[in-house]
Amino acid sequence: MGFDQFESHFRELLWEVRHNNNIDVLDEIHKARYDLLIWTNLISSVREVTMGIEEAFHKKINQTVEYQRMCKKIEIGLTLIEQYQKEFDALIKLEEVVSTHRGNEIMKALTLLTAISTPLTAFGALWGMNFKGMPELDLKFGYIYALILIVLSTVAIYLYLRMKGWTGDLLKGRKKNSFFK
C-alpha cells in the first residue's frame, strides 16, 4: 500500500469511527497504526541512507536538485507521520473514553436491575419458606397485601434511585451516530 492509499484509508477510518464505532473499527485503527509504523521504518531507513550519502559526498551531493528534492520529500514524510501518530493517539484515546463510558453504563444498568429486583427476590424467598406460623397465611387478602408490598417497595427503590439521578439515560435508547447518547 502506497502512502497516498494509507492517507485515504486513514480518512475513511476517521469517518468510520464516527458512524460505526465498534470492535471492528478499533481493529482497523490498530492495523492502520501498524501500517504507519511500517512507513515510519521505511522513511527512517531512507533518511539514514541519505545521511550516509551526505557524509560521503558532502559538498558535491548537497547542491544537486535531486538530493534536495529527496531530502524535502523525506522531511514531508516524517512530518506527515508525526501528525498521523498524533491523530492515531487521539483516536485511540477517544475509543478508550467511549468504551469506558459504555462499560460504566452497563454496570449502572446491572446495579439498577439488582437494586430493583432485590425486594422481589427477598419477599419471594420469605414466602417460599412455608412456615406454619406465618401471619399472612391466615389473612383473607394476605396474598394481595404481599403483592402490593412487593410492588410498592420495588417502585419506592426505583423512585429513590431516580430522585437521586442515578438512573440517568438508561431508559432511553442510544441515538445512531452518537458516541454517548
Side-chain angles (χ1 to χ4, degrees):
M1 172 183 349
F3 201 70
D4 290 338
Q5 290 171 321
F6 170 81
E7 289 176 317
S8 177
H9 178 65
F10 181 74
R11 284 188 200 98
E12 290 172 9
L13 192 56
L14 283 173
W15 287 108
E16 186 69 21
V17 167
R18 175 75 175 145
H19 297 295
N20 189 20
N21 192 6
N22 60 31
I23 193 73
D24 294 331
V25 174
L26 185 60
D27 188 47
E28 284 296 316
I29 289 171
H30 284 283
K31 286 178 183 175
R33 193 172 192 180
Y34 179 77
D35 290 343
L36 184 64
L37 185 64
I38 298 296
W39 277 105
T40 303
N41 187 286
L42 290 172
I43 290 177
S44 294
S45 297
V46 172
R47 176 74 177 133
E48 190 176 328
V49 168
T50 58
M51 291 168 72
I53 291 171
E54 186 177 326
E55 183 181 3
F57 303 102
H58 185 58
K59 292 204 179 205
K60 292 178 190 174
I61 199 76
N62 282 351
Q63 295 169 353
T64 64
V65 174
E66 292 82 11
Y67 180 80
Q68 291 174 355
R69 186 177 297 138
M70 181 177 60
C71 286
K72 192 61 170 174
K73 285 188 180 247
I74 291 170
E75 181 183 335
I76 290 169
L78 291 173
T79 301
L80 286 173
I81 285 173
E82 184 180 325
Q83 181 62 35
Y84 284 129
Q85 286 173 338
K86 289 178 185 177
E87 290 180 26
F88 273 118
D89 290 343
L91 268 178
I92 290 171
K93 286 178 185 173
L94 175 67
E95 283 291 325
E96 289 172 357
V97 167
V98 170
S99 296
T100 300
H101 177 74
R102 287 181 183 165
N104 289 341
E105 290 296 306
I106 290 168
M107 290 307 296
K108 187 191 309 184
L110 292 174
T111 302
L112 286 172
L113 178 67
T114 302
I116 290 173
S117 65
T118 297
L120 298 169
T121 305
F123 288 119
L126 183 66
W127 272 278
M129 291 183 194
N130 294 325
F131 289 115
K132 287 188 180 187
M134 292 181 75
E136 306 84 40
L137 294 177
D138 294 332
L139 295 173
K140 182 175 181 181
F141 298 106
Y143 188 72
I144 291 175
Y145 293 148
L147 286 176
I148 290 171
L149 182 62
I150 291 170
V151 169
L152 286 177
S153 61
T154 302
V155 168
I157 288 175
Y158 172 76
L159 291 175
Y160 174 76
L161 293 172
R162 188 172 176 121
M163 181 184 71
K164 288 289 212 174
W166 295 346
T167 58
D169 302 333
L170 289 178
L171 302 178
K172 299 176 185 172
R174 277 193 59 218
K175 292 181 181 176
K176 189 173 179 151
N177 295 331
S178 173
F179 291 118
F180 301 105
K181 297 178 184 177

